[in-house]
Amino acid sequence: MVSFKNILATALLASSVIAAPTGNIQKRSSGKRGAAYNDASTVHALNSKGTISWAYDWNMLADGVLPSNVEFVPMLWGTKMFGGWLTAVQTALSSGSSYILGFNEPDMGSQAAMSPSDAAQSYKEYITPYSGRAKLVSPSVTNSGDASQGLGWMGSFLEQCTDCGISVLAVHWYGESADELKAFVNKATEFASQHGLESVWLTEFARNKDVNGSGSSSDTANFLNEVLPWLDSQSMVGRYAYFMCANNYLVSDGGLSTAGEAYAS
């Protein structure tokens, strides 16, 4: 994703992190649902129904107190985090984190911006040593169809990271419809199976309208009501997090937005 995340980029090393009501939504927690946040306090609102099992903040530190039943998953965002990583990841693992997320959109120049070979070398140095203490998640790539981005980038990375100890493929999706999302997730799960990975995490996903502000919260809720049961039914989808747990997205003034109500139910 580009526009909103460019605004977000300056906060990646710190932290900062959205919701209100609909009825007649069936409770459907699967243990897969997560919170992508910048402000840990917003996760408490999103987890008001107890359906959020994990959370991450594009960072190696939780930067706040999460609900007791929500697992924090540290991320090594990219090269600018290498300096504090060793201490931070030890703290996260000692606090109960059981997964480690790789770099954030290294296939994008506006994000972690790493070549497959540089990413593989850095992954081996900074993340692979924790194999056995935690399950390791790949770098998260976009759903770009460009050969040098998305799953194309990931294929090159995995060719050079065969001994990295990776268990999980992480991907992002931004698009227009539920059908587009399902088609991409099916493509990603097939890719993961071909590379011997046990599951796929959809660590960011949203309709483009939800991010650029042209969509309504009720339309977002309708989208979520269609895609969440489908994601929950997919055995290869391990976890997912909607973009994002922040004000005017999934939360609103300390409570749930209409979209947040759909996501949290």
Side-chain angles (χ1 to χ4, degrees):
M1 186 54 222
V2 184
S3 56
F4 185 85
K5 286 167 62 182
N6 287 339
I7 297 171
L8 193 70
T10 56
L12 287 172
L13 287 177
S15 258
S16 123
V17 177
I18 348 185
T22 35
N24 301 321
I25 299 175
Q26 279 192 312
K27 194 176 181 73
R28 53 179 177 236
S29 176
S30 63
K32 299 181 180 183
R33 199 158 310 162
Y37 72 96
N38 287 140
D39 178 351
S41 67
T42 61
V43 182
H44 291 263
L46 190 62
N47 192 45
S48 59
K49 301 176 186 294
T51 54
I52 304 302
S53 64
W54 69 285
Y56 82 105
D57 60 350
W58 296 275
N59 205 335
M60 52 193 174
L61 300 169
D63 287 329
V65 180
L66 293 171
S68 59
N69 63 325
V70 174
E71 176 192 1
F72 173 68
V73 180
M75 168 185 275
L76 181 53
W77 188 90
T79 56
K80 63 185 178 182
M81 284 190 176
F82 287 174
W85 173 248
L86 297 180
T87 298
V89 73
Q90 293 284 3
T91 298
L93 295 177
S94 297
S95 300
S97 299
S98 57
Y99 291 89
I100 298 172
L101 288 164
F103 316 122
N104 186 69
E105 295 187 357
D107 57 322
M108 291 292 289
S110 60
Q111 297 297 312
M114 303 167 77
S115 69
S117 58
D118 287 345
Q121 181 178 346
S122 296
Y123 198 101
K124 291 175 186 178
E125 180 176 356
Y126 291 101
I127 301 179
T128 298
Y130 300 99
S131 178
R133 292 190 60 190
K135 285 197 172 186
L136 308 185
V137 184
S138 77
S140 52
V141 293
T142 67
N143 57 311
S144 170
D146 189 295
S148 65
Q149 296 178 328
L151 295 178
W153 184 99
M154 183 63 70
S156 298
F157 167 80
L158 291 176
E159 285 177 2
Q160 299 171 74
C161 219
T162 55
D163 55 349
C164 288
I166 297 172
S167 298
V168 177
L169 171 68
V171 294
H172 295 168
W173 176 86
Y174 291 90
E176 305 302 328
S177 69
D179 286 343
E180 286 182 12
L181 169 67
K182 293 174 185 179
F184 175 70
V185 171
N186 284 334
K187 184 177 181 180
T189 56
E190 181 180 356
F191 178 95
S193 295
Q194 290 171 346
H195 288 82
L197 302 176
E198 65 184 41
S199 63
V200 172
W201 285 19
L202 188 60
T203 52
E204 287 182 32
F205 74 104
R207 298 182 311 153
N208 290 326
K209 289 181 178 180
D210 300 332
V211 180
N212 65 28
S214 64
S216 69
S217 192
S218 59
D219 285 344
T220 304
N222 291 334
F223 171 77
L224 290 170
N225 285 333
E226 178 174 353
V227 301
L228 295 183
W230 184 83
L231 289 170
D232 290 341
S233 73
Q234 302 304 298
S235 60
M236 277 289 288
V237 175
R239 287 181 171 181
Y240 56 79
Y242 197 70
F243 188 84
M244 62 180 288
C245 184
N247 200 40
N248 300 320
Y249 285 74
L250 294 178
V251 299
S252 179
D253 299 326
L256 293 171
S257 67
T258 301
E261 184 74 21
Y263 190 73
S265 295

